[in-house]
């Protein structure tokens, strides 16, 4: 198949991030022309001056629109893109030089209408960013739930690094207005339309995850809150594994109480788990401080997601209202 790629990148008040991403796109070893579609999503800090520095070296299509969230902005960009295969990126990503070569090679060998690529920690990332990256990608944490080579389910692409054909985009209508949660919702609708997805492990990105501990908690808490909504919309996707963070946290609380009463065996099992996690983090990151912070990141991930999932499940199951009415802050209004 003759592939023509268009990168789709929504940006909101992040001119420095888009500069790093464009630098990495300019260094691609891919020898064919590709388009870069940048959608300014109602930014008050414009990226236009930064983008103008790249118009002579990259085929850039630049659009401005009122703020309506990342999902709608991606749809806006894909509807105007010239390529037949779209690659959706977050603005806080950096691509390795071989990214496009790897993506095209994999699609030529085994074509699918939607793929996802993993994320990695760049050497320039802070220790907190590296620790969060470990927690978000490790199979020993909830990173294994979202899918991968050793995943509990088929791979679910995420739009910080996601490819989708023009055909599939037009068939399913693109992203919905939920956020976060727009990624799995789109993937499920792609599956339901008869298309397959896959992981292209060589097409990875460096995902900076511009977050501190508090923002990380808010992010994973929202991830937990949207999952019951997706389960309600797509009941065929319900899985017991989504309860794991909630049950993990409840089990830890019970284990602490039992230890205080003189029965410490369950708490020893938790200590064993975190010990294994620590050793794995040292092996994967090669950094003692990052490994220690990975334990903090994992704890925040489990408690944030687990609490959000439990709260959302109780609210949704006990109410006759639509999710949009119960949790309006999880939805963007699309004009």
């Amino acid at each position: 198949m003759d592939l023509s790629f268009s990168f789709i990148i929504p940006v909101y008040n992040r001119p420095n991030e888009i500069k790093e991403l464009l630098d990495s796109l300019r260094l691609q070893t891919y020898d064919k022309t590709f388009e870069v579609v940048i959608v300014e999503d109602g930014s008050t800090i414009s990226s236009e001056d930064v983008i103008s520095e790249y118009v002579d070296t990259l085929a850039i299509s630049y659009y401005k629109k009122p703020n309506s969230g990342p999902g709608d902005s991606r749809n806006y960009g894909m509807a105007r893109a010239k390529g037949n295969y779209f690659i959706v990126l977050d603005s806080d990503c950096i691509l390795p030089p071989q990214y496009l070569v790897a993506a095209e090679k994999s699609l030529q060998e085994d074509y699918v209408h939607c793929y996802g690529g993993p994320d990695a920690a760049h050497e320039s990332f802070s220790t907190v960013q590296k620790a969060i990256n470990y927690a978000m990608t490790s199979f020993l944490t909830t990173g294994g739930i979202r899918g991968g080579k050793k995943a509990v389910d088929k791979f679910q692409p995420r739009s910080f690094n996601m490819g989708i054909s023009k055909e599939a985009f037009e068939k399913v209508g693109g992203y919905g207005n939920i956020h976060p949660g727009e990624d799995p919702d789109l993937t499920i609708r792609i599956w339901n339309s008869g298309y397959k997805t896959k992981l292209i492990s060589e097409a990875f990105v460096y995902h900076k995850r511009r977050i501190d501990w508090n923002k990380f908690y808010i992010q994973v808490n929202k991830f937990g809150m949207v999952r019951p909504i997706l389960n309600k919309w797509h009941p065929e996707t319900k899985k017991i594994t989504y309860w794991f963070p909630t049950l993990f946290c409840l089990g830890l609380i019970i284990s602490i109480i039992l230890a205080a009463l003189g029965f410490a065996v369950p708490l020893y099992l938790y200590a064993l788990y975190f010990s294994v996690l620590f050793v794995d983090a040292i092996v994967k990151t090669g950094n003692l401080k990052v490994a220690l912070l990975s334990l903090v990141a994992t704890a925040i991930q489990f408690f944030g997601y687990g609490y959000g999932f439990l709260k959302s499940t109780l609210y949704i199951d006990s109410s006759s209202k639509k999710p949009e009415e119960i949790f309006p802050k999880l939805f963007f209004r699309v004009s």
Side-chain angles (χ1 to χ4, degrees):
M1 180 178 182
D2 186 18
L3 292 169
S4 175
F5 292 109
S6 291
F7 286 98
I8 311 297
I9 308 164
V11 59
Y12 179 71
N13 291 342
R14 303 287 178 176
N16 291 334
E17 284 183 356
I18 200 66
K19 178 176 175 59
E20 288 183 306
L21 176 52
L22 291 175
D23 280 337
S24 69
L25 287 173
R26 193 160 56 178
L27 295 175
Q28 289 298 297
T29 57
Y30 191 68
D31 59 4
K32 302 174 187 176
T33 300
F34 58 88
E35 181 186 23
V36 181
V37 180
I38 300 174
V39 181
E40 192 93 64
D41 183 26
S43 298
T44 56
I45 306 174
S46 174
S47 300
E48 187 168 6
D49 289 343
V50 171
I51 293 168
S52 66
E53 300 174 12
Y54 297 85
V55 294
D56 293 332
T57 53
L58 292 171
I60 294 178
S61 300
Y62 176 55
Y63 301 98
K64 296 180 180 180
K65 55 177 281 299
N67 179 255
S68 59
D72 186 56
S73 296
R74 294 170 190 137
N75 292 342
Y76 186 96
M78 288 188 282
R80 289 159 177 77
K82 301 177 181 68
N84 60 20
Y85 210 101
F86 311 136
I87 300 176
V88 182
L89 301 173
D90 279 357
S91 63
D92 60 344
C93 288
I94 301 171
L95 272 62
Q98 75 282 1
Y99 179 95
L100 264 180
V101 172
E104 182 180 67
K105 181 176 184 292
S106 180
L107 290 172
Q108 294 289 9
E109 293 173 352
D110 176 28
Y111 185 82
V112 293
H113 285 272
C114 180
Y115 78 84
D119 53 334
H122 194 270
E123 59 183 10
S124 66
F125 287 7
S126 69
T127 53
V128 171
Q129 286 175 320
K130 290 177 180 177
I132 290 174
N133 182 80
Y134 173 83
M136 293 290 282
T137 59
S138 173
F139 186 72
L140 294 176
T141 68
T142 61
I145 291 176
R146 66 184 183 176
K149 282 186 174 179
K150 301 178 181 178
V152 296
D153 194 11
K154 55 186 176 181
F155 188 73
Q156 294 188 19
R158 292 293 188 266
S159 54
F160 65 81
N161 180 15
M162 177 181 187
I164 176 173
S165 70
K166 181 177 182 179
E167 177 185 325
F169 164 69
E170 293 178 343
K171 179 72 176 290
V172 303
Y175 294 89
N177 65 331
I178 190 172
H179 179 71
E182 71 273 21
D183 301 339
D185 174 57
L186 174 61
T187 300
I188 294 165
R189 288 187 284 111
I190 287 173
W191 290 339
N192 291 343
S193 295
Y195 298 116
K196 294 181 179 179
T197 61
K198 74 172 181 178
L199 169 69
I200 303 180
S201 57
E202 297 80 12
F204 66 90
V205 301
Y206 300 110
H207 193 193
K208 297 188 73 173
R209 303 189 191 281
R210 49 176 183 263
I211 40 184
D212 54 29
W213 292 126
N214 182 58
K215 291 179 180 177
F216 181 51
Y217 174 83
I218 293 172
Q219 182 187 56
V220 294
N221 182 250
K222 286 183 176 180
F223 286 162
M225 291 178 68
V226 301
R227 177 52 64 177
I229 297 174
L230 297 174
N231 289 345
K232 184 178 180 65
W233 289 351
H234 309 287
E236 74 280 5
T237 65
K238 285 185 178 181
K239 290 184 173 57
I240 191 65
T241 50
Y242 296 136
W243 277 97
F244 175 68
T246 302
L247 297 176
F248 180 93
C249 295
L250 292 175
L252 179 57
I253 293 171
I254 293 172
S255 296
I256 293 172
I257 294 173
L258 290 175
L261 296 175
F263 183 61
V265 173
L267 193 59
Y268 290 153
L269 295 177
Y270 275 91
L272 176 62
Y273 167 76
F274 279 105
S275 297
V276 171
L277 197 73
F278 177 68
V279 172
D280 183 67
I282 288 180
V283 172
K284 296 288 176 58
T285 68
N287 187 301
L288 178 62
K289 185 176 181 180
V290 172
L292 287 170
L293 290 177
S294 294
L295 302 183
V296 177
T298 300
I300 292 173
Q301 182 184 35
F302 278 138
F303 277 93
Y305 187 103
Y307 174 65
F309 183 88
L310 180 61
K311 174 184 175 181
S312 181
T313 298
L314 294 175
Y315 270 81
I316 290 174
D317 289 351
S318 63
S319 176
S320 59
K321 294 181 179 180
K322 295 181 179 180
E324 294 91 328
E325 299 175 285
I326 302 174
F327 301 113
K329 291 184 179 181
L330 297 178
F331 295 85
F332 274 94
R333 291 185 178 181
V334 180
S335 57

